[in-house]
Amino acid sequence: IIPDWNDLVYNAHWREALESLHATNNFPEFTGRICPAPCEEACVLNINDDPVTIEYIEKSIVDRGWTEDWISPEPPTVTTGKSVGVVGSGPAGMAAAQQLRRAGHDVVLYERTDRIGGLLRYGIPDFKMEKHHIDRRVEQMAAEGVVFRTSVNVGVDVSAEDLRRGHDALVMTCGATKPRDLPVDGRELEGVHFAMNFLPQQNRRVAGLAVPDDVALTATDKHVIVIGGGDTGSDCIGT
């Protein structure tokens, strides 16, 4: 409901704008930083002038909300006694878990890596979105009653059958980390890597986490070609 919170900001009703923004977006600080902003391309003002800077306004609203302490845990007032398991802790899993908990269900969020956030945590470079934005929301969700289970690879560490027995419902919010290969001559040569083998390592280094030498990928003192000119390719170049 972009026009609503745009108008509220225009009239200096920032807290009401935050409520309007949160009505359809659990984590505007994520989208306000990394969304490619198709809304701005679709802005009718873009036909004959510069579009409204929707993404920046969105980010400004939620950042002010945190600064003013307008954002706080919203635990449910009534519980249902139902249990839901959410598999995958990227933005979809986090949003599903938060909404389900606020609806009164017991929610357990499963993540195969050691920290919550999915691609936001291990994939999106820190220069694009600092990870304290994720940590702040994880703290909010924990205070609301969401239970986090990290380093749990569903299908390996625990079976789907066990999860189904342990919950009334499951929500599958698994990420799309499987890369698309190119079956071309030279693909088998050394030094050809997928972006999602490269980018998460840098996230770990920036977070002060160890990357084993036997799997470490660095571009230091190397001539590098990036194939793919989308967001992922751009992230690799920036890294």
Side-chain angles (χ1 to χ4, degrees):
I1 45 178
I2 294 167
D4 293 29
W5 43 261
N6 271 351
D7 187 62
L8 287 164
V9 167
Y10 177 76
N11 287 289
H13 300 309
W14 285 87
R15 188 159 190 168
E16 293 86 347
L18 179 66
E19 294 172 0
S20 178
L21 179 57
H22 269 148
T24 57
N25 187 343
N26 288 64
F27 313 119
E29 62 269 43
F30 300 170
T31 51
R33 284 172 169 80
I34 61 176
C35 175
C39 55
E40 294 184 16
E41 288 298 314
C43 175
V44 292
L45 194 61
N46 196 36
I47 297 171
N48 63 343
D49 203 342
D50 293 329
V52 175
T53 56
I54 298 167
E55 185 180 25
Y56 184 79
I57 296 171
E58 176 183 26
K59 181 174 76 72
S60 299
I61 293 171
V62 69
D63 285 353
R64 180 161 182 171
W66 285 110
T67 300
E68 300 282 356
D69 290 328
W70 293 337
I71 301 173
S72 59
E74 300 177 29
T77 56
V78 178
T79 56
T80 65
K82 299 291 186 180
S83 174
V84 182
V86 181
V87 181
S89 76
M94 289 180 66
Q98 187 170 62
Q99 289 299 110
L100 287 163
R101 178 57 188 160
R102 289 178 177 179
H105 307 306
D106 295 330
V107 178
V108 180
L109 183 56
Y110 297 92
E111 168 57 41
R112 67 181 173 184
T113 67
D114 58 344
R115 298 190 180 189
I116 297 296
L119 196 67
L120 294 173
R121 176 76 64 180
Y122 294 128
I124 301 295
D126 290 67
F127 62 75
K128 224 175 195 180
M129 196 190 80
E130 305 92 332
K131 306 315 171 195
H132 68 81
H133 296 291
I134 308 171
D135 298 334
R136 193 162 51 183
R137 286 295 185 176
V138 169
E139 291 175 5
Q140 179 194 35
M141 292 169 63
E144 292 171 348
V146 175
V147 176
F148 299 98
R149 294 280 184 265
T150 56
S151 300
V152 177
N153 192 349
V154 173
V156 178
D157 301 320
V158 60
S159 69
E161 290 75 17
D162 287 340
L163 282 190
R164 293 203 60 156
R165 282 192 292 267
H167 299 287
D168 296 291
L170 293 179
V171 183
M172 307 301 290
T173 58
C174 304
T177 53
K178 183 177 180 180
R180 183 169 67 88
D181 209 344
L182 286 178
V184 296
D185 291 342
R187 174 62 185 89
E188 74 286 355
L189 298 175
E190 293 183 6
V192 183
H193 305 287
F194 290 121
M196 283 307 296
N197 292 335
F198 171 64
L199 291 171
Q201 291 192 2
Q202 189 63 13
N203 290 131
R204 296 186 69 85
R205 293 187 186 97
V206 173
L209 302 174
V211 176
D213 291 338
D214 59 335
V215 296
L217 302 176
T218 67
T220 306
D221 298 326
K222 295 176 182 176
H223 181 79
V224 180
I225 295 173
V226 176
I227 300 176
D231 277 355
T232 305
S234 175
D235 292 346
C236 288
I237 291 170
T239 300

